[in-house]
Amino acid sequence: MKRNIVIATVAAAALITGGTATALATTGDDESAAKRSSVQLKDDDRKSDDEGKADRDDRDDAAENTAEAKAAKVTAADAIKAALAKTPGTAVSAELDEEDGGLVWDVDILKGNTWHNVEIDPGTGKVLGTWIDKDDKGADDDAGEDAADAARVNSALKGSSTSAEDAARTAAAKGTVTSVDLDDDGTAGAWGVETTGTKGAESEWNVDLKTGKVTADRADHDDDRDDQDDSDDHDGQNDHDDHDDNDGQDD
């Protein structure tokens, strides 16, 4: 469950480490000033026409995923461990994220009814910054929502023996873990984990809260199958159109 994610799209990215970086943005009440990530993203501006754009976008996405996964020398599990060492509590989610040109591990930690956000450098494992995560609402509304979120998380994790860190370590056998998240609707039975393969393919997995067993996310599998069906239907239509054109030519 990500309570405060800054999402930025990079059309095609190459990663370099070191050098000057832009400061990372923070929200909520600062606990410590954010530092600069050692892993930076660089836009790869390419000129292209519309023809074959979808295929290029897929290739660019895969290349970006691969580059980010390789640049993250610190694993998701180690990032969670480092965040908890800085801010003890219950890690509820972790995501390899882009903020202001820098790559970071963004970890959400619940401590009592208070949500803390900790950013970890994916290149060094150092803490870049921490702050209390609050929504832009009135104090009463804010406290009430935080308490409700905390209650849902505690309900979901009641009786569990698999932590976010455990889930990240277990799922690492499937690929490079880029996200660990708890579905906190009160009925969650697993951690949701996203991985990136060696060729940039993304996969989603469920790690059982009690047994730690890893299974493929059925919803993700169904979505992939639907996409394939749509692609097949499109190809079939093109074949039909080509056949009609040939018939016309024969006439």
Side-chain angles (χ1 to χ4, degrees), residues 116-186:
H116 299 258
N117 188 262
V118 183
E119 286 187 348
I120 303 296
D121 192 313
T124 66
K126 295 181 179 180
V127 175
L128 296 173
T130 65
W131 60 92
I132 295 175
D133 186 8
K134 290 185 177 181
D135 296 326
D136 296 329
K137 299 180 179 180
D140 292 339
D141 290 341
D142 201 24
E145 182 171 324
D146 286 347
D149 286 344
R152 286 195 295 270
V153 167
N154 290 330
S155 176
L157 292 177
K158 185 177 181 180
S160 68
S161 56
T162 303
S163 66
E165 182 181 342
D166 294 334
R169 292 195 188 282
T170 302
K174 303 296 185 179
T176 300
V177 175
T178 57
S179 175
V180 180
D181 195 9
L182 178 67
D183 180 4
D184 70 328
D185 61 1

Side-chain angles (χ1 to χ4, degrees), residues 18-245:
T20 303
T22 56
L24 295 171
T26 63
T27 59
D29 296 339
D30 288 341
E31 294 178 1
S32 66
K35 300 177 183 178
R36 297 175 179 179
S37 173
S38 67
V39 182
Q40 294 300 298
L41 297 168
K42 181 179 179 181
D43 287 336
D44 184 8
D45 296 325
R46 299 175 179 175
K47 294 181 180 180
S48 63
D49 53 26
D50 290 336
E51 185 177 356
K53 184 176 183 298
D55 290 339
R56 277 192 297 275
D57 287 345
D58 289 342
R59 290 195 296 270
D60 289 344
D61 287 344
E64 179 183 345
N65 294 339
T66 301
E68 291 184 358
K70 288 183 178 180
K73 306 302 181 183
V74 176
T75 66
D78 288 339
I80 293 171
K81 183 177 181 179
L84 288 172
K86 175 66 176 180
T87 306
T90 300
V92 179
S93 63
E95 181 175 9
L96 189 61
D97 200 10
E98 187 273 338
E99 287 193 15
D100 291 348
L103 198 64
V104 300
W105 278 113
D106 191 359
V107 184
D108 281 343
I109 295 175
L110 177 61
K111 187 175 183 180
N113 288 338
T114 303
W115 291 88
H116 299 258
N117 188 262
V118 183
E119 286 187 348
I120 303 296
D121 192 313
T124 66
K126 295 181 179 180
V127 175
L128 296 173
T130 65
W131 60 92
I132 295 175
D133 186 8
K134 290 185 177 181
D135 296 326
D136 296 329
K137 299 180 179 180
D140 292 339
D141 290 341
D142 201 24
E145 182 171 324
D146 286 347
D149 286 344
R152 286 195 295 270
V153 167
N154 290 330
S155 176
L157 292 177
K158 185 177 181 180
S160 68
S161 56
T162 303
S163 66
E165 182 181 342
D166 294 334
R169 292 195 188 282
T170 302
K174 303 296 185 179
T176 300
V177 175
T178 57
S179 175
V180 180
D181 195 9
L182 178 67
D183 180 4
D184 70 328
D185 61 1
T187 61
W191 292 97
V193 182
E194 294 183 0
T195 62
T196 295
T198 56
K199 295 184 179 180
E202 293 182 312
S203 300
E204 296 183 10
W205 310 90
N206 291 324
V207 181
D208 192 276
L209 290 175
K210 294 183 178 180
T211 66
K213 182 179 180 180
V214 181
T215 56
D217 187 291
R218 177 60 60 182
D220 179 53
H221 176 73
D222 291 342
D223 288 342
D224 290 342
R225 185 170 58 186
D226 290 342
D227 290 342
Q228 183 61 45
D229 289 342
D230 290 341
S231 177
D232 292 343
D233 290 342
H234 179 71
D235 291 341
Q237 181 62 42
N238 288 338
D239 291 342
H240 178 71
D241 292 342
D242 291 341
H243 179 69
D244 289 343
D245 291 341

